[in-house]
Amino acid sequence: MKHIFLTSLLVAAHLHAKPLQVFILAGQSNMHGHAKITTIEHIGMDPATKPLLDLMTGADGKPRTCERVWISSIGCAGDDTTEQTGRLTAGYGATREKIGPEFSFGLTMEKLTDAPILLIKTSWGGKSINTDFRPPSAGPYVFNDTQLAQFQKQGKDLAAIKAAKEKETGVYYRLMIEHVKKVLGDLKRVVPDYNASQGYELAGFAWFQGWN
């Protein structure tokens, strides 16, 4: 009887398990994140931001590791496509010594929901929306009359310039979409506790621009 009771509890808990909440974080240098981990203690100097520091650090003062938030990130490991995965903590910024917006974002989402969370981060510094992140719905990149006149004045090969621009257009948009599809196609690879019957929801998208 005890075994049946425990089994019933497990089944009930499984049926009420919430879908994995998936957030896509994308952008360039500001999504990369260039805040050094060693600087976060200064957040506690202002009473208004002290609660954020308490959220980001444990009792030992070191960055927390989330229990219900996982991350898959590309663009921050020295090249365009090397993937970094794991439970969310500090170190998923532009380098392992830095923090991007993913850290406090994930901590806040974990606080606001009791569902499991996955952050899919794609970020490459120094890219433009007009060319690098240009989606197909925006159409091909078109040089304006002033640009074309300048190229002609400089004696440049217009056909070669247009071909080069066409090749560059949308490269990082496609990398972003490809990575999101790759992660969603095998969620258990990134979120070991994921159960397919539990399902997932695309819960949000955040874009952080940078200088370019």
Side-chain angles (χ1 to χ4, degrees):
M1 181 64 71
K2 182 178 180 181
H3 175 73
I4 295 174
F5 176 70
L6 290 174
T7 300
S8 298
L9 286 177
L10 289 172
V11 170
H14 174 71
L15 290 174
H16 290 88
K18 294 185 177 180
L20 177 69
Q21 301 296 291
V22 179
F23 294 90
I24 299 169
L25 310 181
Q28 49 146 305
S29 57
N30 281 0
M31 182 57 78
H32 246 161
H34 291 272
K36 291 185 177 180
I37 295 173
T38 54
T39 68
I40 65 174
E41 63 183 72
H42 298 289
I43 298 174
M45 296 173 68
D46 185 340
T49 55
K50 178 64 165 57
L52 178 59
L53 178 65
D54 295 339
L55 188 65
M56 296 171 71
T57 56
D60 59 0
K62 295 181 179 179
R64 278 187 53 208
T65 296
C66 296
E67 290 299 316
R68 291 184 291 105
V69 186
W70 289 262
I71 184 171
S72 168
S73 171
I74 61 172
C76 290
D79 59 42
D80 288 345
T81 58
T82 296
E83 183 184 23
Q84 297 168 300
T85 64
R87 290 184 187 271
L88 181 66
T89 185
Y92 284 98
T95 69
R96 281 300 191 183
E97 292 74 42
K98 295 182 178 181
I99 302 171
E102 74 287 333
F103 188 37
S104 54
F105 179 90
L107 287 166
T108 302
M109 291 301 105
E110 186 180 46
K111 186 178 179 181
L112 294 175
T113 177
D114 59 357
I117 298 165
L118 170 62
L119 308 182
I120 304 178
K121 177 179 173 179
T122 60
S123 57
W124 300 276
K127 310 303 177 188
S128 75
I129 299 176
N130 202 22
T131 299
D132 304 295
F133 275 100
R134 192 181 188 88
S137 60
Y141 185 99
V142 179
F143 289 106
N144 60 45
D145 292 340
T146 301
Q147 289 172 308
L148 292 173
Q150 186 67 21
F151 294 149
Q152 288 179 327
K153 183 179 179 181
Q154 295 169 346
K156 293 184 176 180
D157 185 337
L158 291 181
I161 291 176
K162 289 180 179 179
K165 179 62 74 173
E166 183 178 353
K167 187 176 181 180
E168 295 168 359
T169 300
V171 169
Y172 289 89
Y173 176 88
R174 293 192 293 275
L175 279 176
M176 174 182 68
I177 297 299
E178 288 167 6
H179 184 63
V180 170
K181 287 183 176 180
K182 174 185 174 182
V183 175
L184 295 181
D186 186 5
L187 284 165
K188 201 167 181 65
R189 181 182 65 83
V190 179
V191 186
D193 298 335
Y194 177 70
N195 188 318
S197 62
Q198 179 181 352
Y200 71 87
E201 295 177 349
L202 290 176
F205 177 92
W207 173 272
F208 273 64
Q209 185 66 7
W211 177 261
N212 291 65

